[in-house]
Each structure stands twice: as structure tokens, then as C-alpha cells.
Amino acid sequence: MTTLFSRPGVTVDAEDATLQVVGDVDVALAADLAASGVTWLKQAELTSLTLDFSRVEKASSAAISVLFEWLRTCRQREIQVQTIRFSAPLRRLASLAELDALIDHPSATLAV
């Protein structure tokens, strides 16, 4: 496992074909957190990927914005997103924002 970003309470880790966020994402960290994943995605030689937000316990639109940035990069790099894993609170927020199609079918063509 490689740690791409680390601040008190939040990390971004990459292992094999999984990019994982651990901890609670807030607005102050979102841009740097997203950038760390984008940098890794641009350097990684991947054809498919799992995005794992299952260890983000606080529902936050900042976490969703990080997800969208990574999805844009995946689309640009032609990396297929196999699975997006959410914690229960984050999944409820995503569902409330009507992102169910994205959650259930991450490789579907959506405007992100």
C-alpha cells in the first residue's frame, strides 16, 4: 500500500487497482486530496480501478467532489471504474443527491 496523502484524520492510499480514502474529508482538504489521487491516476498504468470511500464516516459533499474529480480523470485516461464503495453515511448523501446510477453503475456514461 502506498500513502498518497496524509493529514491528521485523513489519508489517501493506493494499492493495486484501488484508490482508497480513509477518514473524514472536509472542504479545506478536498482539493489537495483530489490532486493526490489525480497525480497517481495519471502515472498509474491501469485499465480498471476501484474507488473506495467505505472508510469515510462523515457524509460530506467535499468527499463527493473528490470522487467526481477522480472520475473525470479516469474518463480522460480511459480507466474503467469497476466499483465505487461508500460508507453508509456517504451512500445516503450520494443517494439524496440522486447519484444512485453512479453508485450502482460507475462505468455508465454520466456527466460528471
Side-chain angles (χ1 to χ4, degrees), residues 14-84:
E15 184 172 14
D16 299 324
T18 299
L19 194 53
Q20 179 182 51
V21 179
V22 178
D24 294 329
V25 179
D26 64 26
V27 174
L29 297 176
D32 291 338
L33 194 145
S36 69
V38 167
T39 299
W40 181 78
L41 288 166
K42 287 181 176 180
Q43 295 172 356
E45 296 183 20
L46 298 171
T47 56
S48 65
L49 172 76
T50 294
L51 299 174
D52 189 349
F53 287 76
S54 65
R55 296 180 61 193
V56 176
E57 290 305 318
K58 180 181 173 188
S60 163
S61 60
I64 300 294
S65 71
V66 169
L67 170 65
F68 282 154
E69 188 63 27
W70 291 352
L71 288 171
R72 276 190 281 281
T73 302
C74 287
R75 179 166 294 136
Q76 291 166 356
R77 305 272 305 153
E78 298 181 357
I79 300 170
Q80 185 176 20
V81 178
Q82 295 295 319
T83 305
I84 301 172

Side-chain angles (χ1 to χ4, degrees), residues 53-57 59 85-94:
F53 287 76
S54 65
R55 296 180 61 193
V56 176
E57 290 305 318
R85 296 183 187 133
F86 285 105
S87 63
L90 198 53
R91 183 174 177 99
R92 282 191 297 275
L93 177 63

